[in-house]
Amino acid sequence: MASAAEQLASNLNFSAFAKAEDLKKRIWFTIGALLVYRLGTYIPLPGINPDAFAQAFSSQSKGVLGMFNMFAGGAVQRMAIFALGIMPYISASIIMQLMTSVIPSLEALKKEGEQGRKVINQYTRYGTVLLALVQAYGISVGLENGNGIVSDPGMFFRISTVVTLVGGTMFLMWLGEQITARGIGNGISLIIFSGIVAGLPHAISGTLELGRTGALSTGLILAIIVLAIVVIALIVFFERAQRRLLIQYPKRQVGNRMFQGDTSHLPLKLNTSGVIPPIFASSLLLLPATVAGFSQTTNMPAWASTVLASLGHGQPLYMAFYAAMIVFFAFFYTAIVFNPKDTADQLKKHSGFIPGYRPGERTADYIDYVLTRITVVGAIYLVLVCLLPEFLISATGVPFYLGGTSLLIVVSVTLDTVAQIQGHLIAHQYEGLIKKSKLRGGKKAR
């Protein structure tokens, strides 16, 4: 089956794509949904003085707000209706996944299959609304504290801002779910991906402008380009890397015939968690500082100003927290999406076994042993990819879009989306072969 799939994949061409009507509809739906998202990042909040806000944002753009603006697709810089972005939904997902690991009732729901998953998704939506309400109200207060940003401060402004921002986040959550169900790829990841890609031309032109004015040397710009190429190649290599465990199936007898036992492989990805750890880590680091960047530091306690300064982008404390959270979420998310015990039970159920290990508990322990060690390598890879460019950014002032996290998201989402497109094309060609064989069989019967 694997060789047939590879042969079909190698034969994919534009004619096959032209005949895949369902795939084309999915792609057009995805493009249309992302265009709607991009349009929303240009619709400003009512009651905001654009010039005053631009000055306030420029003073904080190299801090945490700059990264938040990257994930929001530039909506924070324009204080648009999608300024909160999809981050409240991601934060709610983190909380729910943590709770499913520690609360028995939620863990039981998770094991109920599709119905349990729907209930957990509904809880996640409620959590998204709650987090968005808190963040939106904090932003409204922070905007009022800014110097001349709000033309008519008061309760009406706060209510309208909260309603608009929460509504924007809920719309993006719904849009992401629609892309996942009716389009191509993971909707939430594609929304973040489109925001980053939309800012790449501006980031590149800004870097070249720094070179033109002499702020960056030509050698340093070339080093940045080479580093970006190396990081992209590293991401592709590690995202494709697998550790394959040999699986054997015993001989079986059907009637009077003895069939030779089959062999297959259990693929374990080196980075099972994908782009989730950097996104989760970034969202948690952005959460406490969303509002503080707009507030006047003179109104803050001394300890709060010290903590915020230490958590600034490129600061040692920020880097340490970022690395620790990436490692934690790499192991945490891997444990959620891959259960060695369930895998061992499935192998035992189908009479499969790993040579040298008894089916059941011993097999589960071995799979967990291998998975833990490759996850260590995957976590180190994520930390290196996300942090090494960050040191360069903090030292040179290169825009956030050229950082390791943004490159990781862009490359990983692109690889996943292309893989899904190829999967749809392969399925379409299989359907075509089945239809042809049925037609030939019908003609022969006649």
Side-chain angles (χ1 to χ4, degrees):
M1 182 64 73
S3 61
E6 290 173 1
Q7 184 178 2
L8 280 174
S10 64
N11 293 331
L12 294 179
N13 49 40
F14 288 106
S15 63
F17 177 78
K19 296 176 183 177
E21 295 296 332
D22 179 66
L23 177 60
K24 288 193 288 185
K25 290 179 181 178
R26 285 179 173 272
I27 292 176
W28 281 116
F29 179 84
T30 303
I31 293 173
L34 293 178
L35 284 175
V36 170
Y37 160 63
R38 292 303 304 156
L39 287 174
T41 61
Y42 286 89
I43 302 175
L45 282 175
I48 299 292
N49 184 339
D51 295 331
F53 178 79
Q55 292 180 357
F57 179 82
S58 62
S59 63
Q60 301 290 336
S61 60
K62 292 185 179 181
V64 178
L65 285 177
M67 182 171 282
F68 193 91
N69 183 57
M70 178 191 74
F71 283 119
V76 176
Q77 183 177 4
R78 295 180 285 271
M79 194 40 66
I81 59 175
F82 291 159
L84 272 183
I86 205 68
M87 284 303 172
Y89 178 77
I90 295 175
S91 301
S93 299
I94 298 172
I95 295 171
M96 281 304 303
Q97 288 177 356
L98 287 169
M99 291 175 68
T100 53
S101 302
V102 297
I103 299 177
S105 59
L106 290 176
E107 189 175 2
L109 267 178
K110 182 182 176 182
K111 294 179 179 179
E112 289 182 6
E114 184 66 20
Q115 189 61 34
R117 187 182 64 82
K118 288 181 179 179
V119 175
I120 291 176
N121 285 345
Q122 194 63 30
Y123 289 158
T124 304
R125 296 186 187 103
Y126 294 148
T128 302
V129 174
L130 183 60
L131 288 176
L133 283 170
V134 174
Q135 288 183 271
Y137 184 77
I139 288 176
S140 66
V141 174
L143 289 172
E144 287 186 337
N145 290 335
N147 187 16
I149 294 178
V150 180
S151 57
D152 188 18
M155 188 55 65
F156 179 77
F157 170 78
R158 295 184 184 183
I159 293 174
S160 64
T161 299
V162 168
V163 170
T164 304
L165 291 178
V166 173
T169 296
M170 298 309 296
F171 176 78
L172 287 183
M173 182 184 69
W174 174 83
L175 193 65
E177 292 176 349
Q178 293 300 308
I179 293 174
T180 302
R182 302 171 59 187
I184 286 290
N186 182 282
I188 303 300
S189 298
L190 282 172
I191 286 175
I192 299 175
F193 165 87
S194 64
I196 294 174
V197 170
L200 280 176
H202 177 72
I204 295 172
S205 64
T207 304
L208 295 177
E209 180 63 21
L210 290 175
R212 189 187 67 82
T213 57
L216 291 179
S217 64
T218 304
L220 185 57
I221 293 177
L222 291 176
I224 292 170
I225 295 173
V226 171
L227 179 63
I229 294 172
V230 170
V231 169
I232 291 172
L234 193 69
I235 292 170
V236 173
F237 174 78
F238 275 93
E239 292 300 319
R240 294 294 188 186
Q242 292 180 346
R243 170 74 160 88
R244 295 187 174 187
L245 301 182
L246 179 65
I247 306 296
Q248 287 189 347
Y249 295 91
K251 296 179 180 179
R252 55 194 178 93
Q253 184 173 358
V254 180
N256 295 325
R257 297 184 62 184
M258 180 67 71
F259 289 88
Q260 185 67 30
D262 295 329
T263 61
S264 65
H265 291 88
L266 175 64
L268 301 177
K269 287 190 65 177
L270 196 64
N271 179 29
T272 306
S273 55
V275 299
I276 298 298
I279 294 177
F280 278 13
S282 300
S283 66
L284 288 184
L285 283 174
L286 294 172
L287 191 60
T290 303
V291 185
F294 292 107
S295 301
Q296 296 178 356
T297 55
T298 54
N299 296 333
M300 289 185 186
W303 65 268
S305 300
T306 304
V307 170
L308 284 173
S310 301
L311 285 174
H313 199 270
Q315 297 299 318
L317 186 61
Y318 171 88
M319 296 293 190
F321 270 115
Y322 194 33
M325 287 182 183
I326 287 175
V327 173
F328 169 76
F329 283 117
F331 281 92
F332 174 74
Y333 198 76
T334 298
I336 287 177
V337 299
F338 192 95
N339 189 327
K341 188 177 183 304
D342 291 344
T343 304
D345 290 341
Q346 288 296 321
L347 288 175
K348 185 178 181 180
K349 185 178 180 181
H350 294 88
S351 302
F353 63 94
I354 297 176
Y357 297 91
R358 295 183 62 182
E361 187 175 349
R362 289 290 303 279
T363 299
D365 292 340
Y366 176 70
I367 294 174
D368 183 64
Y369 172 85
V370 174
L371 188 64
T372 301
R373 275 146 187 78
I374 65 174
T375 304
V376 170
V377 179
I380 293 172
Y381 140 72
L382 287 175
V383 171
L384 289 177
V385 166
C386 293
L387 286 192
L388 284 179
E390 299 301 326
F391 286 110
L392 180 64
I393 289 172
S394 61
T396 61
V398 178
F400 287 110
Y401 296 92
L402 299 180
T405 305
S406 57
L407 289 177
L408 176 65
I409 293 172
V410 169
V411 175
S412 299
V413 173
T414 300
L415 290 174
D416 291 341
T417 305
V418 169
Q420 285 203 26
I421 292 175
Q422 289 180 341
H424 278 278
L425 286 175
I426 291 172
H428 177 74
Q429 287 200 351
Y430 268 127
E431 290 174 2
L433 290 174
I434 291 171
K435 288 179 181 178
K436 286 181 180 179
S437 64
K438 286 183 177 179
L439 288 173
R440 288 173 183 171
K443 289 179 180 179
K444 288 181 180 180
R446 290 178 185 176

